[in-house]
Structure formats: C-alpha cells, structure tokens
Amino acid sequence: MPRAFLIVIDSVGIGGAPDAQMFFNGDVPDTGANTVGHIAQTAGLNVPVLDALGLGAAVQLASGLDAPGLGGTPTGAWGAATEISPGKDTPSGHWELAGVPVPWEWQVFPDTDPAFPPDLTAEICAKAGIDGILGNRHASGTKVIEDEGEAHLKTGWPICYTSADSVLQIAAHEEAFGLDRLLQLCKDLAPTLHAMKVGRVIARPFVGDVGSFSRTGNRKDFAIAPPSPTICDYVHDAGCKVYAVGKIGDIFSMRGIDDLRKGRDAVLMDHVNDLVDTAADRALVFANLVEFDSEYGHRRDPKGYADHLQWFDGALGKLLPKLRADDLLIVTADHGNDPTWIGTDHTRERVPVLVYGIGARTLGQVAFTDVAASIADHLDVPYNGEGTSFL
C-alpha cells in the first residue's frame, strides 16, 4: 500500500518569483534573490543526491541561473513551484503546500521602536504579571537575546520582538523566567494575535549566562488555524495516519495530526528514517527541517547554509534506498531566505519540487497546491482542496 513522505527544507528557495518586486528586506525588493543559486556561487555546493533529483534543473527553470556545481542530469521528477499567497512566511508556504492558499493579508508590525501598539504591550504585561517588556522592535532572535538578556535576568521582563513576518516572538530564560510560564504566556496571548491576523506567537526559550546565552529546542509556535481543510485533514479523515515531524504540528495547530515528533534537524531526520521503517500503509509523513532558515538564512551565513544542505544531501542519500517501491517522496520548500541578501528576513522565491518514486521527468512550473493534490492522488484519498496532481 502506498505512503507519502513530504520533506520541507525550510527556506531553500530557487529564485525567480514573478512578484518578488512586491516583497522587501528593508527598502530593497526581493527581485533577484536566489537562495540555492547564490549559495552555489558564493560558498560552493556539493549535493549530488539533490542534484540527481533535479535541484540544479529546478534552479535553472525557476530563475534561468545555471548554478555552479548543479549541472547533473535529473534521474527524479523535478519542477519549480510558485506561491500565490500574499506572504513569504512559514504558515503561508506550508498551508499552500497543503492545499490552502492564504485568503487574507497578514498583520505585520511596523519596523519602528516601539513596534507593538500600547494595548498589546499592556496585555502582555497583564498576562505575564510584570510591569514592562524588553525589545519591542524588529530584531534577530539571537541578537536580541544577546542585547537584552542581562536586563531580562535583572527585571524578569520578557523579550518581545518581531520581524517582517506576521509574528510576535517572546524570548525568556527557561530557569529564571520559567519554561512553563513562557509557554502559558504565549498560549494565552495567541487568541488576541490571531484575531488581529497575526500568524504566530512563538515561545523562544533560552538558557545560559550573560555572554553565553543559547536558545533551546523547546521552541513552540502557536499558529492561527488554517481557514479550510488541508492535506493533513483529508488524509486523517480518510482513516489514514498523519505523522508530523518538526514544526508541522505547530503550523497546523495539530489539526489532522496523529503523531508528533520534534527535535533539531539531525534528530528529525532520524525520526523520518524511523518512519520509513514503521509508518502505516497510506500514511503521510510531513516533515519540516527548520535550521536552514533559523540558523543560516536569517543569520546570512552562506557557508553554514551550504554545509547544512550538504549534510541533508548525505542524509537523504541514506534514506532513499530504504523507501518501498510504492512510496512517494517529495522534497520542497516554503519560501526563500537568501543568505547573501540584504537584511535578515525571508526572500520571495520559487521553490524546488523534487520527487522520488515516479521516475525521471520534468514537472515544469507547478503551483504550491499541486503538492497536496499529488499526495492525495498517490494515497487515493478524497480531496477537495486546490491544486492539480502532477503524478
């Protein structure tokens, strides 16, 4: 019986978005951003497994760039997907891959100091039982903890920040502030933010002392629920198992999810390997590997990003031979985050769609929603979402 494995390598864009000029990092439009292409040009890439699936060909199709080191002849099925949702963020990309384009404009906070309206700041203080907040601006998560961590330990005030995404992030020390207290604060604030059409409230716990703070793996996203059924719902409602690996449970508010596994990317790939061996027939394994984005894209680290892509390539090479003959595996992304680009935010790009299990062929230009339609087709489950199967 068939199974489907969908791996989202977070932010691994391939350039060429037709509306990139409408999206910005600061005052600079995303026109010309190309995550994979520019990494290949500046840091070099050796990813033979991904290239054999069609990564280089997908970059060329999406953006016209012949990326150095990615000139292999594809032995998988490959294409380039274009997003229509009015955002370049995690929920928009994942929902659309799951068959639901975002039907509204996300609320984003202005790049001012302070960034949050007084009534929201007052609600944070009231719910946390404190007199003020730190941050209150657009910021890099690691940098804002470095800048505000000492004051956080002295005052007990949480560090609240945002970005060009539709998000409120709250960082706090797991021991001094309390992990459970942080998670409860974010959970309590989420309904207010969701009513504002802010996509996520994210708890960002950290540990350590001044000069050596580090974020932990206990991050939790409280995301607004999708407005209509996703591929997770359709598979689940058909009586089939849906396994969420990484942030997927948070992104979809656990709707349609039967099993959740979390951890850092290396641990998540171990989970995917385990599920190749153990997942039920007609199951969907839906994984997100976030460190491409969080550790290297936002930090504008092309070399680190290249190394992580090469790590994933090796891990994927070990996984593919374990798949069953009737398994379908799709590797794709949710947006771009070009580490050579100005600023620190995501970049509007097309994404690769690399498919193992249907032979070698060109899929051409596809829609994000075609991924969901194809999974439903492969698993033979009823599907009323958007998209057209490319199987």
Side-chain angles (χ1 to χ4, degrees), residues 23-103:
F23 296 82
F24 294 83
N25 267 261
D27 296 328
V28 178
D30 290 342
T31 307
N34 190 325
T35 299
V36 172
H38 289 160
I39 291 170
Q41 289 179 329
T42 60
L45 269 182
N46 180 24
V47 286
V49 177
L50 288 166
D51 198 30
L53 287 177
L55 180 59
V59 172
Q60 208 287 328
L61 174 65
S63 61
L65 177 67
D66 291 317
L70 296 178
T73 300
T75 58
W78 57 275
T82 303
E83 184 175 12
I84 63 170
S85 297
K88 53 174 179 175
D89 52 88
T90 294
S92 295
H94 281 78
W95 290 5
E96 195 166 327
L97 289 168
V100 182
V102 177

Side-chain angles (χ1 to χ4, degrees), residues 60-389:
Q60 208 287 328
L61 174 65
S63 61
L65 177 67
D66 291 317
L70 296 178
T73 300
T75 58
W78 57 275
T82 303
E83 184 175 12
I84 63 170
S85 297
K88 53 174 179 175
D89 52 88
T90 294
S92 295
H94 281 78
W95 290 5
E96 195 166 327
L97 289 168
V100 182
V102 177
W104 55 65
E105 292 280 348
W106 293 108
Q107 169 73 44
V108 296
F109 295 107
D111 191 2
T112 56
D113 192 352
F116 304 124
D119 56 343
L120 177 58
T121 300
E123 183 171 350
I124 295 170
C125 292
K127 283 183 162 59
I130 41 90
D131 297 325
I133 63 173
L134 300 168
N136 204 346
R137 62 183 182 270
H138 282 226
S140 160
T142 51
K143 183 67 162 57
V144 78
I145 291 169
E146 178 184 325
D147 291 344
E148 304 286 1
E150 183 174 5
H152 168 68
L153 293 179
K154 288 179 178 178
T155 65
W157 295 359
I159 303 168
C160 303
Y161 61 102
T162 188
S163 69
D165 286 349
S166 180
V167 64
L168 166 64
Q169 303 201 59
I170 304 181
H173 198 281
E174 283 197 356
E175 297 160 3
F177 188 87
L179 176 60
D180 290 344
R181 182 184 176 199
L182 172 62
L183 295 176
Q184 188 64 51
L185 172 61
C186 292
K187 181 179 180 180
D188 291 345
L189 287 167
T192 295
L193 276 297
H194 295 168
M196 297 167 62
K197 291 297 186 286
V198 174
R200 290 176 292 164
V201 180
I202 304 178
R204 285 289 201 174
F206 64 95
V207 294
D209 299 313
V210 176
S212 61
F213 294 124
S214 60
R215 297 195 294 197
T216 74
N218 292 319
R219 163 185 171 156
K220 184 170 179 59
D221 295 36
F222 296 86
I224 190 171
S228 59
T230 72
I231 187 61
C232 301
D233 297 302
Y234 290 113
V235 174
H236 175 81
D237 291 349
C240 306
K241 282 272 197 177
V242 178
Y243 302 85
V245 180
K247 296 197 304 179
I248 300 301
D250 293 337
I251 294 167
F252 291 95
S253 301
M254 287 303 294
R255 209 175 70 192
I257 306 294
D258 297 292
D259 182 277
L260 176 63
R261 306 185 184 200
K262 303 193 80 171
R264 291 184 64 85
D265 281 3
V267 173
L268 298 180
M269 280 303 290
D270 289 341
H271 288 315
V272 175
N273 270 282
D274 174 65
L275 288 166
V276 168
D277 296 331
T278 62
D281 291 340
R282 297 183 70 209
L284 168 62
V285 176
F286 194 168
N288 168 279
L289 303 181
V290 73
E291 289 169 26
F292 300 96
D293 185 55
S294 62
E295 301 293 323
Y296 309 110
H298 287 299
R299 299 185 189 185
R300 296 302 191 251
D301 180 1
K303 178 61 166 58
Y305 208 130
D307 289 345
H308 205 57
L309 279 168
Q310 288 167 180
W311 160 79
F312 175 68
D313 193 75
L316 187 63
K318 294 175 183 177
L319 183 147
L320 293 181
K322 298 173 57 179
L323 293 170
R324 302 190 320 209
D326 56 355
D327 284 340
L328 175 76
L329 181 138
I330 302 173
V331 177
T332 187
D334 52 343
H335 50 72
N337 200 350
D338 187 339
T340 72
W341 209 246
I342 191 169
T344 61
D345 294 318
H346 296 153
T347 44
R348 180 72 161 188
E349 301 179 42
R350 288 185 167 119
V351 301
V353 177
L354 311 178
V355 186
Y356 182 89
I358 61 172
R361 57 189 172 92
T362 301
L363 303 176
Q365 299 280 4
V366 300
F368 272 44
T369 52
D370 293 348
V371 171
S374 301
I375 290 170
D377 185 12
H378 179 71
L379 297 178
D380 192 25
V381 299
Y383 179 72
N384 293 314
E386 296 192 28
T388 302
S389 173

